[in-house]
Amino acid sequence: MTNRIDATSLSIDEQLSLLSGADFWRTRPLPDHGVPSTMLADGPHGLRAQLEATDHLGLASSVAATCFPPAVTLASSWNRALVEEVGAAVGREARALGVDVVLGPGLNLKRHPLCGRNFEYYSEDPLLSGLLAASAVAGIQSTGVGACLKHFAVNNQEHRRFVIDAIVDERTLHELYLRGFEIAVRQSAPRMVMAAYNRINGDHATDAPWLLTGILRERWGFDGVVVSDWGAEADRVAGVAAGMDLEMPGGARTEPAVRRALDDGSLDAAHVARSAQRIIDLALAAQDARTQPAPTMAELLDPHDTLARRAAASSTVVLTNDGILPLAPGTRVALIGAFAEHPRYQGSGSSLVTPTRLTTARAALEAAGLTVSYAPGYDPVRSRPDAALVAEAAALAAGADVAVVMVGLPGIAESEGFDRDTLALPAQHDALVTAVAAANPRTVVALSVGSPVLLPWRDTVPAILVSHLGGQASGAALADVLLGVIEPAGRLAETWPAAQSDVASDPFFPGDHAQVHYREGVFVGYRHATTAGIVPAFPFGHGLGYGASTWGAARVSAASLAGDGAVTVSVDVTNTGDRMRAEVVQVYAHDRSGAVLRPRRELVSFARVEVPPGETRTVAVAVEALRFWDVRAHDWALPSGPVDLEVARSSAAVESVVTVQVAGTVRADEAGNGAVEPPSTPPIAATDEQWARRLGRAVPAATPSRPFTRESTLGDISGTLVGRVMRRVVMRMAPVSDDDRADPASMALIERSIDELPLRGLAQMSNGRVGWSTVDAIIAFANGRPLRGVAALLGRH
């Protein structure tokens, strides 16, 4: 164990040097004092380690690493042990590649299924998200490598993600958007937390002391490093005071501003010392871990590919199945869909992993001994309408025992950097499924998607599988599922709506140029559907698996609950089928106390169990999360009155109910007093009056788009001459390869990221090539003040 180094023994300049990166991925060392550099790398579902070329958009090449299924897929397993196992594998590869901190997992809540980055996140539910993230962190950090929770906080869309201000009420903030982070921080003690790009109620997440110090450190006890998302720091002096320790990437040259603030007394030197100390402690812990024997990538390749295959298969969700699955041996299969040869197995952006190998569904099914005929059905890149490809596929399907149609979202439809425009699949994919099902009624559809889609043909096919994005072994995993080698034991971790209008946040998503209002409050996903009586296409928690089971009546360990106590709900699960079956016992709360407005159903616990054929297992689930956030006390509170605990297969399939009497502090006769919302309150704050009441203040006005400031984007100033020139310059500077130019998803990400880059990002992301005086000059010229622009360039502003 390396001896601790006291930050206060360093000079102020040495302390300041630690507070920003040495380059894109490394922290600064102080070799004279024994402080090493720390290597960071993207890696929610596998490492994107860039040892030479560097960028934050997944454009430059990275070292090959196992591409495990992304969070959207692993979340569907509802299997904390599996998520931890994958996390440990990612940690081992980090050790092998010399990476000290993995920048993941991401656990932002899925407020709307159109968010382009939802594939990187777990769920619409904070309990499920937080517990799975805690498992991922535990796995990664079991290897000595640090993990980094991201993106803290209320980062739920890609539209204007660098500058958008999320307007959210206090209760919703704590119950939904902070709750998952709280669970993960308290349970797994991550080494690092990444502060997000966006603002929250007017404050930049990177500069908010109430968030980074008051909540994260003082309330939750976090003692690690807070790092900015790359280029997210808006005001370095404010960030240091708020507890934002490490600014990334390096090269932003913000130390002089911090030094001036120290000199004039507007910043206390203790803030600098605290941040420097946390970075030193991280670096020394990483150095200690590096002294332990590390595996080589060569010895990890085979076992990790096997793990990726098992994780993808067991996380697959069976949406419908009339008994056609699993396929019988010797089945002649018409395999249709270009994804069978060109798999969609991960999302685009900073999480993009260069896989160590890639298995296709066509190759895997042929290797399993099936007779397979193949038709592409669509172009895998853009999927434009093509009637000839549909006709070819239908003709092929007509002569097979079973048609397996692989459809989904091409990369251009969902990615970091931009949100989806529609919940619909490409029209070519819908037309393909319809035609093939008409030609062969024994049609199985396998979906490769990172988030929910509309399925207008769902009642016309006998089976639908959701593979989500299966990682590098997705093809082999699908073959295992189709043939019944592994049970597809997944359950949906988010609601699949029947229509986009069924999404509570849809009228308010993604907001305007400056703000997005979370007027739906806590009524997100299944919380909205169960409260409003909306029937989704497929509910949260749904998944059929293979086989069948019966559940007995639920039992509860105590009839009452008080304070911080817990009760145990038990249920007997019997496997009535002839194969091993996995079940997920979900427990939802229905608060009938009348003390406060609450969703009709809230997940409060769950447990996964595997039951051999013909056997019964008793599943015991601890329940304690019955609290709500009381905005009067600014703290958690318990209602006083009856609460039903509903034991369910999904949010729409309750098996049995037990009731407990909760002896809380908030009674029904208090509802409506102060700021507690009574049950009669409209769930969605549709009017400004309702929204102001929920916020507890006047609805804030959006920041005007003029005059331009450092927060204005390149797109904002593109109507000016200097803006058009700068956009062309930045496009030329972007690390765009010939492969990127050929890939529409990469080009869409590049163009949107450039258009939405705040002008301060020109200095922050250019590694010193653009100085702050140049940024201020551009702003002045764009505002039609050329003399001020010239003065800025001359350093006279």
Side-chain angles (χ1 to χ4, degrees):
M1 178 71 70
T2 304
N3 291 330
R4 192 170 191 265
I5 298 170
D6 190 340
T8 59
S9 68
L10 310 178
S11 70
I12 283 292
D13 286 339
E14 288 170 331
Q15 293 177 36
L16 283 176
S17 72
L18 295 173
L19 270 55
S20 59
D23 53 28
F24 223 86
W25 298 115
R26 294 173 178 83
T27 65
R28 287 176 178 168
L30 289 175
D32 292 345
H33 295 278
V35 180
S37 177
T38 301
M39 174 71 176
L40 317 178
D42 279 319
H45 64 276
L47 287 172
R48 189 176 73 91
Q50 294 181 314
L51 304 183
E52 296 179 4
T54 56
D55 76 283
H56 73 299
L57 296 178
L59 303 177
S61 61
S62 60
V63 178
T66 304
C67 180
F68 292 98
V72 62
T73 310
L74 289 179
S76 298
S77 73
W78 291 60
N79 187 338
R80 296 189 65 185
L82 177 63
V83 173
E84 183 170 345
E85 188 178 2
V86 170
V90 172
R92 286 192 292 271
E93 295 196 8
R95 292 291 316 282
L97 294 175
V99 171
D100 300 309
V101 178
V102 174
L103 298 176
L107 68 155
N108 294 101
L109 210 70
K110 299 184 181 184
R111 177 180 178 238
H112 198 297
L114 289 181
C115 174
R117 206 170 180 179
N118 274 353
F119 60 84
E120 266 192 67
Y121 306 136
Y122 292 113
S123 177
E124 67 187 28
D125 182 82
L127 177 68
L128 182 58
S129 295
L131 291 175
L132 294 179
S135 296
V137 171
I140 293 168
Q141 295 192 164
S142 71
T143 66
V145 173
C148 176
L149 296 178
K150 63 183 187 182
H151 307 89
F152 191 61
V154 203
N155 183 255
N156 310 106
Q157 63 187 63
E158 294 301 283
H159 171 73
R160 294 185 67 85
R161 61 177 175 152
F162 301 117
V163 296
I164 199 72
D165 188 3
I167 309 301
V168 59
D169 65 278
E170 181 184 344
R171 181 184 171 195
T172 300
L173 177 66
H174 284 271
E175 289 193 16
L176 292 192
Y177 298 102
L178 296 182
R179 181 64 178 137
F181 284 96
E182 179 180 8
I183 291 168
V185 166
R186 290 185 184 275
Q187 290 201 7
S188 64
R191 300 260 180 90
M192 186 175 278
V193 169
M194 182 184 293
Y197 286 119
N198 54 283
R199 297 178 188 237
I200 307 168
N201 294 327
D203 296 326
H204 283 279
T206 53
D207 303 335
W210 61 267
L211 179 70
L212 303 183
T213 297
I215 292 175
L216 180 61
R217 297 193 188 280
E218 295 174 356
R219 180 177 284 273
W220 300 347
F222 176 69
D223 61 0
V225 170
V226 175
V227 62
S228 71
D229 204 341
W230 268 230
E233 179 62 284
D235 182 332
R236 191 64 188 113
V237 175
V240 173
M244 216 295 295
D245 304 311
L246 177 61
E247 181 183 23
M248 291 298 286
R253 299 179 180 176
T254 54
E255 292 92 339
V258 179
R259 185 64 203 233
R260 286 193 298 272
L262 289 169
D263 291 342
D264 67 21
S266 58
L267 178 66
D268 191 329
H271 292 300
V272 174
R274 279 194 289 267
S275 288
Q277 187 65 64
R278 289 189 280 258
I279 294 167
I280 291 170
D281 292 346
L282 174 70
L284 295 181
Q287 179 174 263
D288 286 341
R290 288 195 294 269
T291 65
Q292 302 303 311
T296 65
M297 282 299 296
E299 65 193 69
L300 298 176
L301 296 183
D302 288 342
H304 284 186
D305 186 69
T306 300
L307 172 59
R309 177 175 181 167
R310 172 165 56 87
S314 62
S315 300
T316 299
V317 180
V318 181
L319 293 183
T320 63
N321 182 19
D322 71 353
I324 191 174
L325 294 177
L327 299 179
T331 301
R332 292 178 302 121
V333 175
L335 183 61
I336 294 167
F339 287 164
E341 285 198 324
H342 306 279
R344 175 93 203 290
Y345 61 96
Q346 64 175 327
S348 297
S350 61
S351 67
L352 192 71
V353 177
T354 300
T356 59
R357 62 190 67 166
L358 188 60
T359 308
T360 69
R362 183 179 185 182
L365 288 170
E366 290 174 342
L370 293 186
T371 301
V372 178
S373 55
Y374 168 74
Y378 53 84
D379 163 37
V381 178
R382 291 193 178 274
S383 298
R384 294 189 176 99
D386 189 323
L389 288 177
V390 171
E392 176 193 22
L396 183 75
D401 296 331
V402 171
V404 175
V405 185
M406 296 183 64
V407 293
L409 293 173
I412 188 63
E414 56 179 351
S415 168
E416 179 182 350
F418 55 89
D419 295 317
R420 292 165 59 193
D421 297 323
T422 175
L423 287 182
L425 288 170
Q428 177 74 0
H429 291 227
D430 282 334
L432 180 66
V433 173
T434 300
V436 169
N440 187 337
R442 291 175 54 79
T443 292
V444 176
V445 177
L447 293 163
S448 297
V449 295
S451 50
V453 292
L454 301 179
L455 307 176
W457 35 260
R458 65 181 184 272
D459 295 328
T460 67
V461 295
I464 305 172
L465 301 173
V466 183
S467 302
H468 287 112
L469 304 177
Q472 67 179 46
S474 59
L478 179 61
D480 288 343
V481 166
L482 291 171
L483 296 172
V485 176
I486 295 178
E487 185 198 2
R491 305 294 188 268
L492 293 178
E494 58 195 305
T495 302
W496 279 48
Q500 187 170 321
S501 59
D502 291 342
V503 178
S505 62
D506 193 61
F508 323 115
F509 182 93
D512 56 29
H513 76 285
Q515 294 178 333
V516 54
H517 291 257
Y518 286 51
R519 289 176 179 247
E520 72 281 359
V522 298
F523 296 90
V524 170
Y526 74 88
R527 285 170 164 81
H528 171 59
T530 57
T531 303
I534 293 172
V535 178
F538 299 101
F540 174 84
H542 172 74
L544 300 178
Y546 289 159
S549 66
T550 59
W551 294 15
R555 307 177 297 278
V556 65
S557 61
S560 61
L561 176 66
D564 294 327
V567 296
T568 299
V569 176
S570 302
V571 63
D572 294 333
V573 176
T574 301
N575 184 347
T576 58
D578 58 2
R579 57 179 295 143
M580 181 72 76
R581 177 173 170 83
E583 287 285 8
V584 177
V585 175
Q586 303 162 39
V587 181
Y588 296 87
H590 173 204
D591 185 350
R592 295 194 289 110
S593 69
V596 68
L597 173 70
R598 299 190 83 163
R600 169 61 181 80
R601 197 161 282 152
E602 296 176 271
L603 184 72
V604 291
S605 196
F606 67 90
R608 185 181 184 276
V609 63
E610 293 186 355
V611 186
E615 296 189 15
T616 298
R617 294 287 186 270
T618 298
V619 182
V621 185
V623 175
E624 58 183 7
L626 301 179
R627 304 173 300 167
F628 69 94
W629 186 264
D630 187 342
V631 296
R632 301 171 305 176
H634 308 293
D635 205 349
W636 295 102
L638 273 175
S640 187
V643 175
D644 291 338
L645 299 178
E646 302 172 323
V647 179
R649 295 177 186 262
S650 76
S651 63
V654 174
E655 288 284 325
S656 60
V657 180
V658 292
T659 302
V660 294
Q661 291 292 326
V662 178
T665 58
V666 181
R667 302 184 306 274
D669 57 14
E670 292 182 302
N673 295 336
V676 176
E677 292 184 301
S680 59
T681 305
I684 297 175
T687 69
D688 285 350
E689 181 182 4
Q690 293 167 344
W691 185 217
R693 187 179 302 117
R694 177 168 288 172
L695 285 172
R697 63 187 187 279
V699 177
T703 304
S705 56
R706 295 284 189 106
F708 300 122
T709 69
R710 289 183 177 184
E711 293 297 298
S712 302
T713 68
L714 275 173
D716 293 338
I717 68 167
S718 62
T720 69
L721 176 60
V722 69
R724 290 191 293 273
V725 171
M726 284 308 305
R727 189 182 186 281
R728 287 196 292 269
V729 170
V730 174
M731 278 296 296
R732 285 200 297 268
M733 292 171 59
V736 183
S737 66
D738 289 341
D739 288 341
D740 295 327
R741 296 185 193 282
D743 177 24
S746 294
M747 288 308 300
L749 171 60
I750 293 166
E751 292 173 2
R752 188 68 65 88
S753 296
I754 287 174
D755 282 339
E756 296 192 352
L757 182 72
L759 298 178
R760 57 178 165 79
L762 296 174
Q764 293 170 308
M765 303 298 289
S766 66
N767 196 27
R769 286 176 290 180
V770 178
W772 290 102
S773 60
T774 301
V775 171
D776 291 336
I778 292 169
I779 294 168
F781 286 127
N783 282 325
R785 308 186 77 169
L787 294 180
R788 179 169 290 189
V790 172
L793 290 174
L794 296 175
R796 296 174 183 171
H797 70 300

Coordinates of all heavy atoms in Angstrom, one line a residue, residues 115-163:
C115 N -35.2 9.0 -26.6 CA -33.8 9.4 -26.3 C -32.8 8.5 -27.1 O -32.8 7.3 -27.0 CB -33.5 9.3 -24.8 SG -31.8 9.7 -24.4
G116 N -31.9 9.2 -27.8 CA -31.0 8.4 -28.7 C -30.0 7.6 -28.0 O -29.4 6.7 -28.6
R117 N -29.8 7.9 -26.7 CA -28.7 7.1 -26.0 C -29.3 6.1 -25.0 O -28.6 5.6 -24.1 CB -27.9 8.2 -25.3 CG -26.4 7.7 -25.0 CD -25.6 8.8 -24.5 NE -24.2 8.4 -24.2 CZ -23.2 9.2 -23.8 NH1 -23.5 10.5 -23.6 NH2 -22.0 8.7 -23.6
N118 N -30.6 5.8 -25.1 CA -31.2 4.9 -24.1 C -30.6 3.5 -24.1 O -30.6 2.8 -23.1 CB -32.7 4.8 -24.4 CG -33.5 5.8 -23.8 OD1 -33.0 6.7 -23.0 ND2 -34.8 5.9 -24.1
F119 N -29.9 3.1 -25.2 CA -29.3 1.8 -25.2 C -28.2 1.7 -24.2 O -27.8 0.6 -23.8 CB -28.7 1.5 -26.6 CG -27.7 2.5 -27.1 CD1 -26.4 2.3 -26.8 CD2 -28.1 3.5 -27.9 CE1 -25.4 3.2 -27.2 CE2 -27.1 4.4 -28.4 CZ -25.8 4.3 -28.0
E120 N -27.6 2.8 -23.8 CA -26.5 2.9 -22.8 C -27.1 2.8 -21.4 O -26.3 2.7 -20.4 CB -25.7 4.1 -22.9 CG -24.5 4.0 -23.8 CD -23.5 5.2 -23.7 OE1 -23.0 5.3 -22.6 OE2 -23.4 5.9 -24.6
Y121 N -28.4 2.9 -21.2 CA -28.9 3.0 -19.8 C -29.8 1.8 -19.5 O -30.2 1.1 -20.4 CB -29.7 4.3 -19.7 CG -28.9 5.6 -20.1 CD1 -29.5 6.6 -20.8 CD2 -27.6 5.7 -19.6 CE1 -28.7 7.7 -21.2 CE2 -26.8 6.8 -20.0 CZ -27.4 7.8 -20.8 OH -26.7 8.9 -21.1
Y122 N -30.1 1.6 -18.2 CA -30.7 0.4 -17.8 C -32.2 0.4 -17.9 O -32.8 -0.5 -18.5 CB -30.4 0.1 -16.3 CG -28.9 -0.3 -16.1 CD1 -28.1 0.5 -15.4 CD2 -28.4 -1.5 -16.6 CE1 -26.7 0.2 -15.2 CE2 -27.1 -1.9 -16.4 CZ -26.3 -1.0 -15.7 OH -24.9 -1.4 -15.5
S123 N -32.9 1.4 -17.4 CA -34.3 1.3 -17.2 C -35.1 2.6 -17.0 O -34.4 3.6 -16.8 CB -34.6 0.4 -15.9 OG -35.9 0.2 -15.6
E124 N -36.4 2.5 -17.0 CA -37.2 3.7 -16.7 C -37.5 3.7 -15.2 O -38.1 4.6 -14.7 CB -38.6 3.6 -17.4 CG -39.4 2.4 -17.0 CD -40.7 2.2 -17.8 OE1 -40.7 2.6 -19.0 OE2 -41.7 1.7 -17.3
D125 N -37.0 2.7 -14.5 CA -37.3 2.6 -13.0 C -36.0 2.8 -12.2 O -35.0 2.2 -12.5 CB -37.8 1.2 -12.7 CG -38.2 1.1 -11.2 OD1 -39.2 1.5 -10.8 OD2 -37.3 0.6 -10.4
P126 N -36.0 3.7 -11.2 CA -34.8 4.0 -10.5 C -34.3 2.9 -9.6 O -33.1 2.8 -9.4 CB -35.2 5.3 -9.7 CG -36.7 5.2 -9.5 CD -37.1 4.5 -10.8
L127 N -35.2 2.1 -9.1 CA -34.7 1.0 -8.2 C -34.0 0.0 -9.0 O -32.8 -0.4 -8.7 CB -35.9 0.3 -7.5 CG -35.6 -0.9 -6.7 CD1 -34.8 -0.5 -5.5 CD2 -36.8 -1.6 -6.3
L128 N -34.5 -0.5 -10.2 CA -33.9 -1.4 -11.0 C -32.6 -0.9 -11.6 O -31.5 -1.5 -11.5 CB -34.8 -1.8 -12.2 CG -34.3 -2.9 -13.2 CD1 -33.9 -4.2 -12.5 CD2 -35.3 -3.1 -14.3
S129 N -32.6 0.4 -12.0 CA -31.4 1.0 -12.5 C -30.3 1.1 -11.5 O -29.1 0.8 -11.7 CB -31.7 2.5 -13.0 OG -32.5 2.5 -14.1
G130 N -30.6 1.5 -10.3 CA -29.6 1.7 -9.2 C -29.0 0.4 -8.8 O -27.8 0.3 -8.6
L131 N -29.8 -0.6 -8.6 CA -29.3 -1.9 -8.2 C -28.4 -2.6 -9.2 O -27.4 -3.2 -8.9 CB -30.5 -2.9 -7.8 CG -31.3 -2.5 -6.6 CD1 -32.5 -3.4 -6.4 CD2 -30.4 -2.5 -5.3
L132 N -28.8 -2.5 -10.5 CA -28.0 -3.1 -11.5 C -26.7 -2.3 -11.7 O -25.6 -2.9 -11.9 CB -28.7 -3.1 -12.9 CG -30.0 -4.0 -12.9 CD1 -30.6 -3.9 -14.3 CD2 -29.6 -5.5 -12.6
A133 N -26.7 -1.0 -11.6 CA -25.5 -0.2 -11.6 C -24.6 -0.5 -10.5 O -23.4 -0.6 -10.6 CB -25.9 1.3 -11.6
A134 N -25.2 -0.7 -9.3 CA -24.3 -1.1 -8.1 C -23.6 -2.4 -8.4 O -22.5 -2.6 -8.0 CB -25.2 -1.2 -6.9
S135 N -24.3 -3.3 -9.0 CA -23.7 -4.6 -9.4 C -22.6 -4.5 -10.4 O -21.6 -5.1 -10.3 CB -24.8 -5.6 -9.9 OG -25.8 -5.9 -8.9
A136 N -22.8 -3.6 -11.4 CA -21.8 -3.4 -12.4 C -20.5 -2.8 -11.7 O -19.4 -3.2 -12.0 CB -22.3 -2.5 -13.5
V137 N -20.7 -1.8 -10.8 CA -19.6 -1.2 -10.1 C -18.9 -2.2 -9.3 O -17.6 -2.3 -9.3 CB -20.1 0.0 -9.3 CG1 -19.0 0.5 -8.4 CG2 -20.6 1.1 -10.2
A138 N -19.6 -3.0 -8.6 CA -19.0 -4.0 -7.7 C -18.2 -5.0 -8.5 O -17.0 -5.3 -8.1 CB -20.1 -4.8 -7.0
G139 N -18.6 -5.3 -9.7 CA -17.9 -6.2 -10.6 C -16.6 -5.6 -11.1 O -15.5 -6.2 -11.0
I140 N -16.7 -4.4 -11.6 CA -15.5 -3.7 -12.1 C -14.5 -3.5 -11.0 O -13.3 -3.8 -11.2 CB -15.9 -2.4 -12.7 CG1 -16.8 -2.5 -14.0 CG2 -14.7 -1.5 -13.1 CD1 -17.5 -1.3 -14.5
Q141 N -14.9 -3.0 -9.9 CA -14.0 -2.7 -8.8 C -13.5 -3.9 -8.1 O -12.5 -3.8 -7.3 CB -14.6 -1.7 -7.9 CG -14.9 -0.3 -8.6 CD -15.3 0.8 -7.7 OE1 -15.3 2.0 -8.1 NE2 -15.6 0.6 -6.4
S142 N -14.1 -5.1 -8.3 CA -13.5 -6.3 -7.7 C -12.1 -6.6 -8.3 O -11.4 -7.4 -7.7 CB -14.5 -7.4 -7.9 OG -14.5 -7.8 -9.2
T143 N -11.8 -6.0 -9.4 CA -10.5 -6.3 -10.1 C -9.5 -5.3 -9.7 O -8.3 -5.3 -10.2 CB -10.7 -6.3 -11.6 OG1 -11.1 -5.0 -12.0 CG2 -11.8 -7.2 -12.0
G144 N -9.8 -4.3 -8.9 CA -8.9 -3.2 -8.5 C -9.0 -2.0 -9.4 O -8.4 -0.9 -9.2
V145 N -9.8 -2.1 -10.5 CA -10.1 -1.0 -11.4 C -11.2 -0.1 -10.9 O -12.2 -0.7 -10.3 CB -10.4 -1.5 -12.8 CG1 -10.8 -0.4 -13.8 CG2 -9.2 -2.2 -13.4
G146 N -11.2 1.2 -11.0 CA -12.2 2.0 -10.6 C -13.4 2.1 -11.6 O -13.2 1.9 -12.8
A147 N -14.6 2.3 -11.1 CA -15.8 2.5 -12.0 C -16.3 4.0 -11.8 O -16.0 4.6 -10.8 CB -16.9 1.5 -11.6
C148 N -17.0 4.4 -12.8 CA -17.5 5.8 -12.8 C -19.0 5.8 -13.2 O -19.3 5.5 -14.3 CB -16.7 6.7 -13.8 SG -17.3 8.4 -14.0
L149 N -19.8 6.2 -12.2 CA -21.2 6.4 -12.5 C -21.4 7.6 -13.4 O -20.8 8.7 -13.1 CB -22.0 6.5 -11.2 CG -22.1 5.3 -10.3 CD1 -22.9 5.7 -9.0 CD2 -22.7 4.1 -10.9
K150 N -22.3 7.5 -14.3 CA -22.6 8.7 -15.2 C -24.0 8.6 -15.7 O -24.6 7.5 -15.7 CB -21.6 8.8 -16.3 CG -21.7 7.6 -17.3 CD -20.6 7.7 -18.4 CE -20.8 6.6 -19.4 NZ -19.8 6.6 -20.5
H151 N -24.6 9.7 -16.1 CA -24.2 11.1 -16.2 C -25.0 11.9 -15.1 O -26.2 11.9 -15.3 CB -24.4 11.7 -17.5 CG -23.7 10.9 -18.6 ND1 -24.4 9.9 -19.3 CD2 -22.5 10.9 -19.2 CE1 -23.7 9.3 -20.2 NE2 -22.5 9.9 -20.2
F152 N -24.4 12.4 -14.1 CA -25.0 12.9 -12.9 C -25.3 14.4 -13.2 O -24.4 15.2 -13.2 CB -24.1 12.7 -11.8 CG -24.6 13.0 -10.4 CD1 -25.7 12.3 -9.9 CD2 -24.1 14.0 -9.6 CE1 -26.2 12.5 -8.7 CE2 -24.6 14.2 -8.3 CZ -25.7 13.5 -7.9
A153 N -26.5 14.8 -13.4 CA -27.8 14.1 -13.2 C -28.8 14.7 -14.1 O -28.6 15.8 -14.7 CB -28.3 14.1 -11.8
V154 N -30.0 14.1 -14.2 CA -31.1 14.6 -15.1 C -30.7 14.8 -16.5 O -31.0 15.7 -17.2 CB -31.8 15.8 -14.5 CG1 -33.2 16.0 -15.0 CG2 -31.8 15.9 -13.0
N155 N -29.9 13.8 -17.0 CA -29.4 13.8 -18.4 C -30.2 12.8 -19.2 O -29.8 11.6 -19.2 CB -27.9 13.5 -18.3 CG -27.3 13.6 -19.7 OD1 -27.0 12.6 -20.3 ND2 -27.0 14.8 -20.2
N156 N -31.3 13.2 -19.8 CA -32.3 12.2 -20.3 C -32.6 12.5 -21.8 O -33.6 12.0 -22.2 CB -33.6 12.3 -19.5 CG -33.3 12.2 -18.0 OD1 -33.4 13.1 -17.3 ND2 -32.9 11.0 -17.5
Q157 N -31.8 13.2 -22.5 CA -32.0 13.4 -23.9 C -30.7 13.8 -24.5 O -29.8 14.3 -23.9 CB -33.1 14.5 -24.1 CG -32.7 15.9 -23.6 CD -33.8 16.8 -23.7 OE1 -34.8 16.7 -23.1 NE2 -33.6 17.9 -24.5
E158 N -30.6 13.7 -25.9 CA -29.5 14.1 -26.6 C -29.7 15.5 -27.2 O -28.7 16.2 -27.5 CB -29.1 13.1 -27.7 CG -28.7 11.8 -27.1 CD -27.4 11.9 -26.2 OE1 -26.3 12.0 -26.8 OE2 -27.6 11.9 -25.0
H159 N -30.9 15.9 -27.5 CA -31.2 17.2 -28.1 C -30.6 18.3 -27.2 O -30.9 18.4 -26.1 CB -32.7 17.4 -28.2 CG -33.2 18.7 -28.6 ND1 -33.0 19.3 -29.8 CD2 -33.8 19.7 -27.8 CE1 -33.5 20.5 -29.9 NE2 -33.9 20.8 -28.7
R160 N -29.7 19.1 -27.8 CA -29.0 20.2 -27.1 C -28.5 19.8 -25.8 O -28.6 20.6 -24.8 CB -30.0 21.4 -27.1 CG -30.3 22.0 -28.4 CD -31.2 23.2 -28.4 NE -30.5 24.4 -27.8 CZ -29.7 25.2 -28.5 NH1 -29.5 25.0 -29.8 NH2 -29.1 26.2 -27.9
R161 N -27.9 18.6 -25.7 CA -27.5 18.1 -24.4 C -26.4 18.9 -23.7 O -26.3 18.8 -22.5 CB -27.0 16.6 -24.6 CG -25.8 16.5 -25.6 CD -25.3 15.1 -25.7 NE -24.2 15.0 -26.7 CZ -23.2 14.1 -26.6 NH1 -23.2 13.2 -25.6 NH2 -22.3 14.0 -27.5
F162 N -25.6 19.6 -24.5 CA -24.5 20.4 -23.9 C -25.1 21.6 -23.1 O -24.4 22.1 -22.2 CB -23.6 20.9 -24.9 CG -22.9 19.8 -25.7 CD1 -23.1 19.7 -27.1 CD2 -22.1 18.8 -25.1 CE1 -22.5 18.7 -27.8 CE2 -21.5 17.8 -25.8 CZ -21.7 17.7 -27.2
V163 N -26.3 22.1 -23.5 CA -26.7 23.4 -22.9 C -28.1 23.3 -22.3 O -28.6 24.3 -21.7 CB -26.6 24.5 -24.0 CG1 -25.2 24.7 -24.4 CG2 -27.5 24.2 -25.2

